[in-house]
mmCIF file of all heavy atoms in Angstrom:
data_model
loop_
_atom_site.group_PDB
_atom_site.id
_atom_site.type_symbol
_atom_site.label_atom_id
_atom_site.label_comp_id
_atom_site.label_asym_id
_atom_site.label_seq_id
_atom_site.Cartn_x
_atom_site.Cartn_y
_atom_site.Cartn_z
ATOM 1 N N GLY N 7 101.112 145.729 98.242
ATOM 2 C CA GLY N 7 101.311 144.425 99.058
ATOM 3 C C GLY N 7 101.463 143.198 98.200
ATOM 4 O O GLY N 7 101.813 142.126 98.852
ATOM 5 N N ALA N 8 101.011 143.196 96.953
ATOM 6 C CA ALA N 8 101.072 142.013 96.229
ATOM 7 C C ALA N 8 102.529 141.664 95.968
ATOM 8 O O ALA N 8 103.354 142.560 95.792
ATOM 9 C CB ALA N 8 100.437 142.153 94.862
ATOM 10 N N THR N 9 102.916 140.346 95.891
ATOM 11 C CA THR N 9 104.143 139.950 95.564
ATOM 12 C C THR N 9 104.213 139.429 94.109
ATOM 13 O O THR N 9 103.435 138.613 93.552
ATOM 14 C CB THR N 9 104.546 138.701 96.424
ATOM 15 O OG1 THR N 9 104.530 139.125 97.814
ATOM 16 C CG2 THR N 9 106.008 138.174 96.188
ATOM 17 N N VAL N 10 105.100 140.124 93.337
ATOM 18 C CA VAL N 10 105.304 139.674 91.901
ATOM 19 C C VAL N 10 106.522 139.011 91.675
ATOM 20 O O VAL N 10 107.677 139.480 92.147
ATOM 21 C CB VAL N 10 105.234 141.001 91.180
ATOM 22 C CG1 VAL N 10 105.109 140.756 89.630
ATOM 23 C CG2 VAL N 10 103.907 141.858 91.499
ATOM 24 N N THR N 11 106.489 137.821 90.951
ATOM 25 C CA THR N 11 107.721 137.183 90.629
ATOM 26 C C THR N 11 107.842 136.845 89.171
ATOM 27 O O THR N 11 106.862 136.541 88.513
ATOM 28 C CB THR N 11 107.657 135.912 91.453
ATOM 29 O OG1 THR N 11 107.484 136.014 92.808
ATOM 30 C CG2 THR N 11 108.909 134.997 91.099
ATOM 31 N N ARG N 40 104.193 135.718 88.014
ATOM 32 C CA ARG N 40 103.232 135.136 89.099
ATOM 33 C C ARG N 40 103.038 136.298 90.003
ATOM 34 O O ARG N 40 103.934 137.013 90.483
ATOM 35 C CB ARG N 40 103.972 133.984 89.825
ATOM 36 C CG ARG N 40 102.891 133.406 90.770
ATOM 37 C CD ARG N 40 103.452 132.050 91.466
ATOM 38 N NE ARG N 40 104.579 132.680 92.343
ATOM 39 C CZ ARG N 40 105.745 132.161 92.563
ATOM 40 N NH1 ARG N 40 106.124 131.166 91.718
ATOM 41 N NH2 ARG N 40 106.586 132.520 93.440
ATOM 42 N N VAL N 41 101.708 136.406 90.414
ATOM 43 C CA VAL N 41 101.372 137.461 91.427
ATOM 44 C C VAL N 41 100.610 136.846 92.631
ATOM 45 O O VAL N 41 99.658 136.131 92.344
ATOM 46 C CB VAL N 41 100.383 138.518 90.775
ATOM 47 C CG1 VAL N 41 100.113 139.614 91.807
ATOM 48 C CG2 VAL N 41 101.054 139.158 89.464
ATOM 49 N N ASP N 42 101.091 137.069 93.833
ATOM 50 C CA ASP N 42 100.447 136.464 95.045
ATOM 51 C C ASP N 42 99.944 137.707 95.852
ATOM 52 O O ASP N 42 100.707 138.595 96.037
ATOM 53 C CB ASP N 42 101.327 135.637 95.788
ATOM 54 C CG ASP N 42 101.729 134.506 94.952
ATOM 55 O OD1 ASP N 42 100.972 133.579 94.761
ATOM 56 O OD2 ASP N 42 103.015 134.382 94.578
ATOM 57 N N LEU N 43 98.832 137.577 96.464
ATOM 58 C CA LEU N 43 98.279 138.586 97.439
ATOM 59 C C LEU N 43 97.310 137.835 98.386
ATOM 60 O O LEU N 43 96.403 137.124 97.834
ATOM 61 C CB LEU N 43 97.508 139.666 96.674
ATOM 62 C CG LEU N 43 97.015 140.794 97.611
ATOM 63 C CD1 LEU N 43 98.130 141.583 98.221
ATOM 64 C CD2 LEU N 43 96.268 141.851 96.737
ATOM 65 N N ALA N 44 97.520 138.011 99.647
ATOM 66 C CA ALA N 44 96.618 137.467 100.534
ATOM 67 C C ALA N 44 95.118 137.700 100.291
ATOM 68 O O ALA N 44 94.799 138.817 99.950
ATOM 69 C CB ALA N 44 97.011 137.819 102.126
ATOM 70 N N PHE N 46 93.504 136.436 97.749
ATOM 71 C CA PHE N 46 93.228 136.265 96.374
ATOM 72 C C PHE N 46 93.829 135.087 95.737
ATOM 73 O O PHE N 46 94.879 134.511 96.186
ATOM 74 C CB PHE N 46 93.781 137.403 95.459
ATOM 75 C CG PHE N 46 93.048 138.851 95.881
ATOM 76 C CD1 PHE N 46 93.505 139.585 96.979
ATOM 77 C CD2 PHE N 46 92.060 139.229 95.098
ATOM 78 C CE1 PHE N 46 92.757 140.625 97.246
ATOM 79 C CE2 PHE N 46 91.266 140.340 95.403
ATOM 80 C CZ PHE N 46 91.603 141.150 96.464
ATOM 81 N N GLN N 47 93.390 134.532 94.729
ATOM 82 C CA GLN N 47 93.959 133.276 94.012
ATOM 83 C C GLN N 47 95.295 133.860 93.307
ATOM 84 O O GLN N 47 95.287 134.984 92.869
ATOM 85 C CB GLN N 47 93.020 132.863 92.873
ATOM 86 C CG GLN N 47 91.746 132.278 93.485
ATOM 87 C CD GLN N 47 90.787 131.817 92.296
ATOM 88 O OE1 GLN N 47 91.227 131.546 91.331
ATOM 89 N NE2 GLN N 47 89.477 131.765 92.610
ATOM 90 N N THR N 48 96.238 132.935 93.302
ATOM 91 C CA THR N 48 97.556 133.317 92.587
ATOM 92 C C THR N 48 97.225 133.366 91.176
ATOM 93 O O THR N 48 96.582 132.699 90.587
ATOM 94 C CB THR N 48 98.553 132.145 92.852
ATOM 95 O OG1 THR N 48 98.900 132.050 94.281
ATOM 96 C CG2 THR N 48 99.740 132.412 92.010
ATOM 97 N N TYR N 49 97.717 134.477 90.646
ATOM 98 C CA TYR N 49 97.718 134.737 89.267
ATOM 99 C C TYR N 49 98.966 134.371 88.563
ATOM 100 O O TYR N 49 100.102 134.713 89.020
ATOM 101 C CB TYR N 49 97.397 136.340 88.965
ATOM 102 C CG TYR N 49 97.335 136.714 87.524
ATOM 103 C CD1 TYR N 49 96.239 136.750 86.786
ATOM 104 C CD2 TYR N 49 98.633 137.210 86.860
ATOM 105 C CE1 TYR N 49 96.296 137.053 85.499
ATOM 106 C CE2 TYR N 49 98.577 137.486 85.505
ATOM 107 C CZ TYR N 49 97.335 137.455 84.824
ATOM 108 O OH TYR N 49 97.455 137.836 83.565
ATOM 109 N N LEU N 68 92.952 140.123 89.729
ATOM 110 C CA LEU N 68 93.092 139.117 90.795
ATOM 111 C C LEU N 68 91.713 138.666 91.243
ATOM 112 O O LEU N 68 90.776 139.533 91.514
ATOM 113 C CB LEU N 68 93.899 139.626 92.060
ATOM 114 C CG LEU N 68 95.365 139.943 91.795
ATOM 115 C CD1 LEU N 68 95.980 140.409 92.962
ATOM 116 C CD2 LEU N 68 96.137 138.770 91.169
#
Side-chain angles (χ1 to χ4, degrees):
T9 300
V10 183
T11 303
R40 187 179 72 229
V41 179
D42 296 291
L43 182 63
F46 292 86
Q47 296 177 25
T48 296
Y49 174 90
L68 296 178

